[in-house]
Amino acid sequence: MSFEKFFNTAVSSWMSQEGPDSDIVLSSRIRLARNLVDFRFPTVFSSEEAQQIVSLFEQTFAYRSYHPVGRFELLKMSELQPIEKRVLVEKHLISPLLAEDSPFGACLLSENEEVSIMINEEDHIRIQCLFPGLQLTEALEAANELDDWIEEHVNYAFDEKLGYLTSCPTNVGTGMRASVMMHLPALVLTQQMNRIIPAINQLGLVVRGTYGEGSEALGNIFQISNQITLGKSEEDIVEDLKSIVQQLIAQERMAREALVKTLNIQLEDRVFRSYGILANCRMIESKEAAQCLSDVRLGIDLGYIKNISRNILNELMILTQPGFLQQYAGGVLRPEERDVRRAALIRERLKMEEKKHGG
Amino acid sequence: MICQECKQRPATMHFTKIINGEKTEFHLCEQCAKEHGDMFMFYENDDFSLNNLLAGLLNFQTPMKEMTANTFPNSDILQCETCKMTYHQFTQIGRFGCSDCYRTFARYLPPILKRLHSGNSTHYGKIPKRKGGVLHLRKQLSILKQKLQELVAREEFEKAAEVRDQIRSLEYQLRQRGEEEM
Ligand SMILES: [Zn+2]
Ligand SMILES: [Zn+2]
């Protein structure tokens, strides 16, 4: 398969659009956890119950058109290859839990990949809406509409006092997890993140580096989401998160300005060295790739680099993960082989940009 | 503890996964976690961190559970009739078995929910359209009443009259539902 063809099928259409503040906010996501009243939760349900739930959703929603996003396709985890599942995970369309541990898991996926509904993960369903840039309100609206549409056909487990009943007590109430993915290289470079993360935690929000708890953020990308789901309305949760994100955007922009003022030439040097590595390397580990991509993306935002599209970080962070690398290679790869393939894929992607801009 | 994967380096990363109600723990060194962890990379890890949080919380409750075991001899066999999950199992797994568990374990839940949700224990968000029934009407009513006040304050009387009619119709529906339920 040619790289361009691979690339065009690999990148979701929503991903290549730019949203508000997309120099710093890569994506906004709303996830709603819902359960059906007549079935036990996936923690203990029987395989018959699991299959009944899948067929209920298959009959009611699959191949139906839902006007804002088009048709839904139903993917059963048991019918997918491990690499295919992994690719869905890497695209953030399903969770690792659904891919690995849910024998009766399924997913309803909209044509444009903006919306996915996971079935039989930790809860019976998890509705997920993904938007580019800072569009939490829009994502919430979309998720709410979809939620209403589904509720026309099924009975949700809901309690007057406790709200939507979820399998885990951390999700009860709204069942909502709102999150944004942010690129914060200047706050990391100026060592402000260490100070900011505990402050944000105190406000009832969670900040994670993309390599999980406690370890450094890969490619300076952080995910910020709400911790509390009970006692606050969806709108208030989203507003609180948005206001913190906006403050972080302002701080990141200030830190970038300060960096340009004090270390302009060093910064430019760093950006172009990273570009040089990406454009020429023959082997690259995911950590180094992520750091170089972050530098290049900062270089684009600061105007040092002109002929590369901004989505490069977003796209390549996703495309250079093991699932995609192996899909591109057409088979299973050992870690060293991945480093070679990763380097090749990044070079191809950069070459594609050159062609596009007549360089 | 040594890494369960390479069995050489010390395990520094600890994950808990719950698969079909069974808790599996992973103890990996950073290097092996990276190999494995490629899978956990670059997307939400919220289940992992919240798992840890919850495990900590329920561990915190262990002494209290022993205490209650003496005070209420039945607490250990407190069991959900629908899904058969016991309260003890719930504290081990950190997950409910079905929506009825919430009712069965109701008396133990407020402190847990309050700790997880910054002191909150009552839902204040969306109400499903069909299932919400009366609750939904009541919420709509309070929103409309607020809107009416705002419109009156802005002297937009024509719109205010429309909202007032909507309020009347809602109040009528609520009264009817109330009578049905009685
Ligand atoms: Zn190891
Ligand atoms: Zn139960």
Side-chain angles (χ1 to χ4, degrees), chain B residues 36-75:
Chain B
H36 262 254
D38 275 344
M39 202 63 201
F40 306 132
M41 225 161 67
F42 198 62
Y43 33 72
E44 58 173 332
N45 284 306
D46 59 358
D47 293 326
F48 293 107
S49 60
L50 288 176
N51 258 353
N52 294 343
L53 178 86
L54 193 64
L57 174 70
L58 294 169
N59 282 340
F60 170 80
Q61 293 237 318
T62 313
M64 207 175 90
K65 210 184 73 218
E66 282 164 15
M67 220 176 66
T68 50
N70 296 328
T71 339
F72 309 99
N74 285 334
S75 72

Side-chain angles (χ1 to χ4, degrees), chain B residues 4 72-73 89 94 96 102 104 117 124 131 143 147 164 178:
Chain B
Q4 66 186 56
F72 309 99
Q89 281 173 319
F96 295 106
Y102 278 94
T104 314
H117 299 282
Y124 191 67
K131 184 104 200 300
I143 293 171
K147 199 167 156 196
R164 188 204 50 212

Side-chain angles (χ1 to χ4, degrees), chain B residues 71-177:
Chain B
T71 339
F72 309 99
N74 285 334
S75 72
D76 260 352
I77 47 160
L78 182 62
Q79 189 178 36
C80 174
E81 274 181 29
T82 311
C83 72
K84 308 292 177 232
M85 183 175 280
T86 65
Y87 183 71
H88 182 71
Q89 281 173 319
F90 165 68
T91 63
Q92 296 295 300
I93 300 172
R95 300 280 189 283
F96 295 106
C98 74
S99 50
D100 291 334
C101 289
Y102 278 94
R103 223 174 306 138
T104 314
F105 309 143
R107 68 177 145 154
Y108 296 102
L109 294 184
I112 296 176
L113 294 177
K114 278 186 177 162
R115 276 188 57 119
L116 287 172
H117 299 282
S118 290
N120 300 323
S121 57
T122 308
H123 179 56
Y124 191 67
K126 183 170 180 175
I127 298 161
K129 279 219 170 84
R130 285 183 317 107
K131 184 104 200 300
V134 178
L135 205 60
H136 195 75
L137 291 177
R138 263 189 241 134
K139 192 185 174 188
Q140 251 182 312
L141 194 63
S142 85
I143 293 171
L144 284 176
K145 279 184 175 163
Q146 205 183 338
K147 199 167 156 196
L148 180 66
Q149 281 185 349
E150 283 164 19
L151 287 171
V152 170
R154 275 186 272 135
E155 302 190 2
E156 294 182 42
F157 297 116
E158 223 167 291
K159 280 186 197 159
E162 271 173 44
V163 173
R164 188 204 50 212
D165 291 344
Q166 288 172 339
I167 290 176
R168 280 189 185 153
S169 127
L170 273 182
E171 282 174 337
Y172 176 72
Q173 286 180 51
L174 264 173
R175 265 198 308 275
Q176 281 211 315
R177 293 261 193 130

